Amino acid sequence: MRVTLPDGTSLELQDGATGADAAAAIGPGLARAALAVRVDGQVRDLSAPLAEGERVEIVTPPRDGQPDPDALWLIRHDAAHVLATAVLELYPGTKISIGPPIEGGFYYDFEFPAGVTVSEDDLPRIEERMREHVRAAEPFVREDVTAGEALERFVREGQDYKVELIEDLVRDQGVETVSLYTNGPFTDLCRGPHGPSTKDVGAFRLQSVAGAYWRGDASRQMLTRIYGTAFFSQEELEAHMRALEEARARDHRRLGRELGLFLLSDYAPGAPFWLPHGMVLFNELTRLVREENAKRGYQEVRTPVLTGVELWRQSGHWDKYKDHMYFTEVDDRLVGLKPMNCPGHTQIYAAERRSYRDLPIRYSEAGLVHRHEPSGVLHGLLRVRAFTQDDAHIFCTEEQIEDEVVGCLEMGFGIYDLFGFEPALELSTRPDNRLGSDEMWDHAEGALRQAMERRGLQFDVGEGEGTFYGPKIDLHMRDSIGRSWQLGTVQLDYQMPERFGLEYTGPDDEPHRPVMIHRALLGSFERFIGILTEHYAGEFPVWLAPVQAVVVPIADRHLEYAREVAETLRAAGARVEVDERAESTRRKIRDAELRNRRASGVAQDRRYTRPR
């Protein structure tokens, strides 16, 4: 049997050989380091048999500074099973549910026996038991059994959540066999893969305890979720923990409270209340976007927040997006809160006859939209239910697509540069749940690709990440501590003009269908302000800062003059406060210097200024 290695060479193996055999055939060093085998891009256990002609790559720990994401995923999956092993030993009678690797680490969900509560104070004890199993180098052994055998086992053990998972697999997918993985005394229902043994887990840390509903359903059992992370070395783990500490120091929710930017309330989950200082940020960003739109020929419009559902049926959102919308009845008519502005903009376009001489037509709107997000994913300003988009839609001819797309990108580059952001581009292609023919998608994806390639722009491809109505270019950036965020998006849409029957009269005096480009560069003001708050650790550039100057009177007799100075500065356009507290001058100056960074403890050099 021959398999192909990453460099294109062939490797001769015995029939039925496994990934471990392939690693041994290449060399003893690789065999000792091997964690798993990647076969035609899919990661499998080293014990999995190979087949003729497969493309094979051995997954190992990082070498020469080149980390393998699959290797990290493996040891975090291993660590989740080791966590469950330790918990079952320390807390007999615990019921286990699921424990996957996730970005940044892993977790496992447990139902502890009545009267047992596990908190973060218990994590060191659990960690120590985990270390015993890691030191024991217990092999991960896979066994494929019938679904009936697995059910009998987990019913006997009282593991109700595993029983439910198997029953669902049988009912919904017709599964006849399932895989079990055993490490030491612990056996779990698991698809795998896993590394050879627990010793590869390396350096790990349990981080926090939280509540989580079984299967994310608020009507089901509340479970205890234990989060952790794992790396190959202690140095990597410590670096990660320092980064987390830095991120906590920058948490926009805490900074938002301490800097008086916004507040969150149970009266309106997912809908922030903006405070005066926060409104300064909001209004300055709004002014920036309005000025940039005006330079580029955008016309500002406003569309209703509440419209009849007929609009959303025609746009396609009813079929593809209604579960994320809010509806009510008005005068016996079903109406919906808008989750986006685009259908409203089609109505403005359709209100007049259009000629090819009118195109492109560019509409912009700082539009308030509402989207139903599950309560469990709401996160400060970063994941909300009510937000304001810096939205725009362009109606143009086929020949104008390239210039308009590049114009949107260049506008984004200019705005991001004010904050020191260097965006990376990603072409997001057709999702499974989509409207339109494959031919339409081929054409639309090709148009976006061509626009970027002709201008020499580098981009990645996100397969299946497009919207249901069209492909898009997403703009990603990294903040000052290396976290990646998606900000802007430019989307090409042939569907909505077709569904609303939009037309323009061409030079041949015949009706033609315009192309619609959806464009948002900040994404939403809420999310962008959350990102900026963490990026700057509350130390906003002067043009954006809620307070640009503080007047410090030396003594009470100077208060009147201090107020006059403040009024003079306000008249010049500065945002000013007077510190009238009964504190020493030294204390007032110190507090004024640190007022933005006091919440974060992070001092940074911020040179980005907005031209006036």
Side-chain angles (χ1 to χ4, degrees):
M1 175 180 69
R2 285 183 178 273
V3 296
T4 304
L5 300 178
D7 62 1
T9 62
S10 294
L11 180 66
E12 185 77 30
L13 298 170
Q14 294 290 329
D15 289 346
T18 65
D21 295 326
I26 296 171
L30 184 61
R32 287 191 296 272
L35 297 174
V37 60
R38 192 181 293 110
V39 180
D40 294 332
Q42 180 183 14
V43 180
R44 301 179 187 173
D45 296 326
L46 282 173
S47 60
L50 304 176
E52 176 71 33
E54 289 181 326
R55 189 174 186 85
V56 172
E57 182 179 4
I58 305 302
V59 178
T60 66
R63 294 183 297 177
D64 302 324
Q66 297 298 319
D68 186 331
D70 287 334
L72 201 54
W73 187 95
L74 275 166
I75 67 164
R76 288 172 175 172
H77 194 187
D78 296 349
H81 280 231
V82 175
L83 167 60
T85 308
V87 166
L88 286 178
E89 288 182 338
L90 293 171
Y91 305 95
T94 297
K95 295 181 181 181
I96 56 175
S97 59
I98 59 171
I102 57 175
E103 183 178 0
F106 61 89
Y107 70 80
Y108 213 112
D109 289 346
F110 304 97
E111 181 186 339
F112 288 98
V116 175
T117 301
V118 172
S119 70
E120 294 185 7
D121 293 338
D122 300 298
L123 298 185
R125 178 172 175 244
I126 299 172
E127 278 185 1
E128 185 52 42
R129 184 59 64 93
M130 290 175 66
R131 290 190 182 93
E132 294 176 13
H133 289 283
V134 170
R135 288 193 292 266
E138 298 162 346
F140 284 96
V141 179
R142 176 181 174 123
E143 180 184 10
D144 292 303
V145 302
T146 67
E149 291 174 310
L151 276 172
E152 288 180 11
R153 177 187 186 116
F154 290 114
V155 167
R156 186 171 63 251
E157 295 177 357
Q159 294 297 347
D160 301 338
Y161 299 105
K162 299 298 180 182
V163 170
E164 181 178 330
L165 289 171
I166 297 169
E167 289 175 340
D168 288 352
L169 288 171
V170 173
R171 182 187 65 247
D172 299 337
Q173 301 179 28
V175 168
E176 296 180 356
T177 62
V178 297
S179 55
L180 307 179
Y181 278 83
T182 299
N183 55 285
F186 176 61
T187 298
D188 202 358
L189 173 72
C190 180
R191 288 178 298 184
H194 280 279
S197 81
T198 57
K199 73 176 177 61
D200 297 305
V201 169
F204 64 89
R205 183 81 54 85
L206 298 183
Q207 298 168 286
S208 62
V209 176
Y213 291 110
W214 170 232
R215 293 188 155 179
D217 185 344
S219 67
R220 304 293 300 275
Q221 176 69 34
M222 171 66 80
L223 304 175
T224 299
R225 175 170 295 179
I226 299 179
Y227 285 99
T229 192
F231 289 87
F232 286 99
S233 71
Q234 189 66 28
E235 292 77 14
E236 291 174 301
L237 174 62
E238 294 301 329
H240 177 74
M241 299 309 294
R242 287 193 298 271
L244 289 180
E245 187 61 33
E246 176 87 348
R248 279 191 289 271
R250 295 167 179 268
D251 191 315
H252 75 283
R253 293 167 296 182
R254 182 167 65 86
L255 291 171
R257 290 192 303 271
E258 298 187 7
L259 300 176
L261 303 181
F262 64 93
L263 63 86
L264 303 172
S265 169
D266 289 339
Y267 287 113
F273 289 72
W274 287 101
L275 303 178
H277 283 180
M279 280 307 300
V280 172
L281 298 175
F282 199 102
N283 290 334
E284 283 297 308
L285 289 173
T286 300
R287 180 163 62 174
L288 168 65
V289 172
R290 279 182 170 145
E291 289 174 358
E292 295 301 319
N293 281 333
K295 292 177 186 176
R296 293 165 174 80
Y298 286 85
Q299 304 171 75
E300 188 166 4
V301 298
R302 183 169 293 274
T303 56
V305 173
L306 198 64
T307 58
V309 297
E310 299 84 4
L311 180 72
W312 307 105
R313 292 182 191 276
Q314 191 167 350
S315 70
H317 290 91
W318 178 265
D319 295 326
K320 302 293 183 181
Y321 207 77
K322 66 176 181 292
D323 291 341
H324 298 281
M325 294 178 64
Y326 295 99
F327 299 99
T328 189
E329 283 194 8
V330 177
D331 297 331
D332 297 324
R333 182 188 185 191
L334 189 62
V335 296
L337 285 171
K338 66 176 178 179
M340 57 272 298
N341 303 297
C342 36
H345 289 192
T346 67
Q347 300 309 290
I348 295 175
Y349 177 92
E352 300 179 27
R353 290 176 59 88
R354 308 292 182 179
S355 163
Y356 72 95
R357 294 185 179 89
D358 301 322
L359 304 186
I361 292 175
R362 308 181 185 99
Y363 295 137
S364 66
E365 178 176 6
L368 176 64
V369 298
H370 293 77
R371 299 180 185 178
H372 178 64
E373 298 281 2
S375 58
V377 303
L378 299 178
H379 183 76
L381 299 180
L382 304 180
R383 194 74 178 266
V384 292
R385 289 173 172 167
F387 57 94
T388 302
Q389 289 182 305
D390 68 314
D391 213 356
H393 295 92
I394 301 169
F395 299 89
C396 65
T397 68
E398 189 76 29
E399 296 75 24
Q400 293 167 334
I401 290 175
E402 179 182 336
D403 287 342
E404 293 304 311
V405 168
V406 172
C408 291
L409 296 176
E410 289 178 345
M411 179 178 172
F413 298 158
I415 290 175
Y416 301 154
D417 186 58
L418 294 174
F419 307 100
F421 296 160
E422 296 181 5
L425 305 183
E426 180 180 59
L427 174 61
S428 298
T429 61
R430 69 198 74 184
D432 292 334
N433 183 26
R434 62 181 183 268
L435 298 173
S437 65
D438 287 341
E439 291 76 16
M440 182 279 290
W441 280 88
D442 289 340
H443 181 75
E445 290 170 4
L448 291 181
R449 183 185 298 272
Q450 182 171 285
M452 289 187 288
E453 288 178 344
R454 285 189 180 178
R455 299 302 174 98
L457 300 174
Q458 300 297 313
F459 61 92
D460 295 322
V461 177
E463 298 290 350
E465 297 297 321
T467 66
F468 70 85
Y469 52 76
K472 57 179 180 164
I473 300 170
D474 291 327
L475 295 96
H476 301 264
M477 53 72 65
R478 289 195 178 275
D479 66 14
S480 56
I481 58 173
R483 294 170 301 183
S484 179
W485 302 95
Q486 181 193 323
L487 296 181
T489 184
V490 180
Q491 305 169 2
L492 190 57
D493 182 4
Y494 288 87
Q495 281 295 312
M496 212 164 292
E498 182 70 29
R499 296 177 77 91
F500 284 104
L502 305 184
E503 293 182 346
Y504 68 89
T505 302
D508 56 1
D509 210 30
E510 295 292 328
H512 296 266
R513 192 78 71 211
V515 182
M516 189 173 180
I517 297 173
H518 306 244
R519 187 229 74 192
L521 298 176
L522 303 187
S524 80
F525 289 98
E526 285 77 3
R527 188 164 186 257
F528 195 74
I529 289 172
I531 291 170
L532 283 186
T533 302
E534 298 192 356
H535 176 65
Y536 288 119
E539 293 185 72
F540 300 104
V542 173
W543 70 269
L544 191 58
V547 178
Q548 296 171 316
V550 177
V551 182
V552 179
I554 297 174
D556 287 348
R557 64 181 181 274
H558 303 126
L559 274 175
E560 191 60 38
Y561 182 66
R563 292 167 186 155
E564 291 177 14
V565 170
E567 285 304 316
T568 301
L569 290 170
R570 288 191 189 102
R575 295 185 287 272
V576 187
E577 290 183 358
V578 178
D579 190 340
E580 299 187 8
R581 295 177 301 161
E583 298 283 356
S584 69
T585 302
R586 183 186 298 273
R587 175 65 181 272
K588 290 179 180 181
I589 293 172
R590 178 64 175 167
D591 288 349
E593 290 175 341
L594 299 180
R595 67 175 303 149
N596 286 337
R597 74 182 69 170
R598 70 178 187 274
S600 65
V602 181
Q604 297 189 42
D605 181 12
R606 298 300 182 195
R607 298 188 176 91
Y608 308 116
T609 57
R610 182 185 172 205
R612 289 290 189 184

